[in-house]
Amino acid sequence: MRRKFSSEQLTDIAKVIKERIYVPVYKRKRTVFLCGADIKDKTTGRSKMAKLLMENQTRIEYELLYPESLFDDLLAGHGQHSLLALENILASSVDAIVLLPESPGSFAELGAFSSNPNLVNKLICVANQRYKNKRSFLNYGPNRLIKASDTGKVINLDYDKLDCPDTIPRVFRSISDAITKIQRQNPVKKNVTNILEAENFILPCIYLIENIDFNSLKTLLEIATNQNHVMSDIATRSALSKLQSERLIMNTTSGYNMTRSGESHVLSKFTQHRLDRVRIEIMNYQYRGKSGINYDRMSERTFSELFFEKSKIQLGSDSLSFN
């Protein structure tokens, strides 16, 4: 019979995963919250902008994020969270918000984000050039708030030409320059407390603990981030939704487990000998009757790691760097 973990043991597990295994994947990427009309409709400005950003990235990789994919489970049924509240959490976690006001929902988002002093400085409104000189609420309200901010930007473009080869380089450069300015003046913490990084903490948890349940995952994340119950619940659910949509994990009647592609992904992103050390400790306790879980054993460094640390060389799962 599989043994359950005590609160002290969960604390040790969360601590060792955070300190020895977790890798901030989004640290090297530009995270962009892309808002607008239906992303599945290829004729919309949002769909064209997504294609433009993804196909023209050079040395900086872009990660485009959409609330409908991250918060699907949270919004289903009679959920207690509003989409706007969830979008505000997501918007505060990304490097920039690129918004194309072209639908009723995106009009509401523009009004909400532009009037939020914590978000307006990272908001890039890609307005339809056709309405640039129109007397409208959008021009006299949200767009003026954005222009009055320190780093927010209004860029007027012809939506019909967003997929035109002659204009794509200029459009990409204008968006990229605006994001660079926002990043310099409004840097975002990309560690385990960022909601986007929750998946990169939860994934090794599922790899290490077979058939782990939702409450245990939420507890581990809450310990690692020191956030409240509500934020931990939102972050855990959104991470699980994304990981399932990418088919890296599966939810069974026994709990969450890895898929084959998920196991391969974990082994390619995280340091294997550290994973093995923790996994053996957990399995010895759960299935082999060992007396307990020992943090010092799980976090013990190898000779190579001690040597590299003493030499001020950092080892990662896919990189080697000298300080």
Side-chain angles (χ1 to χ4, degrees):
M1 183 177 176
R2 191 179 62 162
R3 299 163 73 186
K4 292 186 177 181
F5 300 109
S6 66
S7 58
E8 291 81 8
Q9 289 170 334
L10 286 174
T11 298
D12 282 346
I13 293 170
K15 186 178 177 183
V16 78
I17 292 174
K18 178 183 176 181
E19 294 176 354
R20 302 283 291 139
I21 295 172
Y22 159 76
V23 177
V25 174
Y26 288 109
K27 193 171 185 178
R28 299 178 184 178
K29 298 182 179 181
R30 266 187 174 170
T31 52
V32 176
F33 183 21
L34 185 60
C35 308
D38 186 2
I39 191 68
K40 295 177 183 177
D41 183 350
K42 303 302 181 184
T43 65
T44 64
R46 186 192 192 196
S47 182
K48 293 177 183 177
M49 181 60 69
K51 188 172 185 290
L52 185 153
L53 292 175
M54 294 306 293
E55 292 184 353
N56 290 274
Q57 40 191 328
T58 51
R59 60 184 180 83
I60 302 175
E61 185 178 351
Y62 281 73
E63 182 77 21
L64 304 185
L65 299 143
Y66 314 104
E68 55 264 45
S69 60
L70 281 171
F71 301 133
D72 189 48
D73 288 348
L74 287 162
L75 295 170
H78 301 286
Q80 59 179 322
H81 307 291
S82 72
L83 177 58
L84 188 58
L86 294 172
E87 286 188 341
N88 272 278
I89 294 171
L90 176 58
S92 65
S93 304
V94 296
D95 291 314
I97 308 161
V98 176
L99 193 154
L100 293 86
E102 55 180 341
S103 65
S106 57
F107 297 154
E109 289 171 325
L110 180 60
F113 296 154
S114 63
S115 59
N116 185 327
N118 296 320
L119 299 180
V120 68
N121 281 315
K122 59 167 62 178
L123 180 56
I124 301 169
C125 175
V126 181
N128 196 322
Q129 191 169 291
R130 185 183 304 172
Y131 308 111
K132 179 179 179 180
N133 299 315
K134 294 285 186 180
R135 294 183 178 182
S136 68
F137 172 77
L138 295 185
N139 282 334
Y140 291 164
N143 286 355
R144 283 188 177 179
L145 290 174
I146 298 169
K147 291 176 181 178
S149 69
D150 293 331
T151 53
K153 183 83 172 176
V154 176
I155 302 173
N156 292 285
L157 296 173
D158 185 342
Y159 284 14
D160 293 331
K161 294 183 179 179
L162 286 176
D163 52 0
C164 178
D166 292 337
T167 61
I168 284 176
R170 177 176 59 83
V171 171
F172 179 79
R173 190 162 50 250
S174 64
I175 299 293
S176 179
D177 289 347
I179 294 175
T180 298
K181 184 178 179 181
I182 290 170
Q183 282 185 296
R184 285 174 180 167
Q185 297 192 34
N186 306 279
V188 174
K189 288 184 178 180
K190 295 185 179 178
N191 54 30
V192 73
T193 62
N194 187 308
I195 191 172
L196 302 181
E197 287 290 345
E199 64 183 89
N200 301 315
F201 176 84
I202 283 176
L203 191 57
C205 292
I206 297 172
Y207 176 86
L208 293 166
I209 306 173
E210 293 180 354
N211 300 318
I212 188 169
D213 59 57
F214 173 81
N215 287 329
S216 296
L217 286 170
K218 185 178 77 170
T219 299
L220 289 169
L221 186 64
E222 189 174 338
I223 293 168
T225 61
N226 199 29
Q227 292 178 328
N228 60 40
H229 292 298
V230 175
M231 275 301 301
S232 298
D233 186 272
I234 291 172
T236 303
R237 291 185 189 279
S238 64
L240 290 172
S241 180
K242 190 166 185 287
L243 291 171
Q244 284 179 276
S245 69
E246 294 174 348
R247 298 182 180 178
L248 297 177
I249 63 169
M250 53 187 171
N251 186 10
T252 69
T253 54
S254 303
Y256 289 95
N257 283 296
M258 305 297 299
T259 62
R260 284 190 177 182
S261 59
E263 289 182 354
S264 298
H265 179 80
V266 167
L267 295 175
S268 70
K269 291 294 181 183
F270 304 97
T271 307
Q272 185 168 354
H273 74 263
R274 295 177 185 174
L275 288 165
D276 291 343
R277 191 180 293 276
V278 178
R279 198 175 195 183
I280 290 169
E281 185 78 7
I282 289 172
M283 291 181 70
N284 281 339
Y285 169 75
Q286 283 192 303
Y287 300 107
R288 295 170 189 161
K290 297 293 183 180
S291 59
I293 289 175
N294 187 287
Y295 170 81
D296 291 334
R297 277 198 302 267
M298 291 190 293
S299 62
E300 187 178 358
R301 285 162 168 76
T302 64
F303 174 79
S304 297
E305 287 178 312
L306 291 170
F307 171 77
F308 282 123
E309 285 176 8
K310 191 172 182 180
S311 304
K312 295 186 177 180
I313 302 173
Q314 294 180 335
L315 275 177
S317 59
D318 57 359
S319 66
L320 178 75
S321 61
F322 293 79
N323 289 334

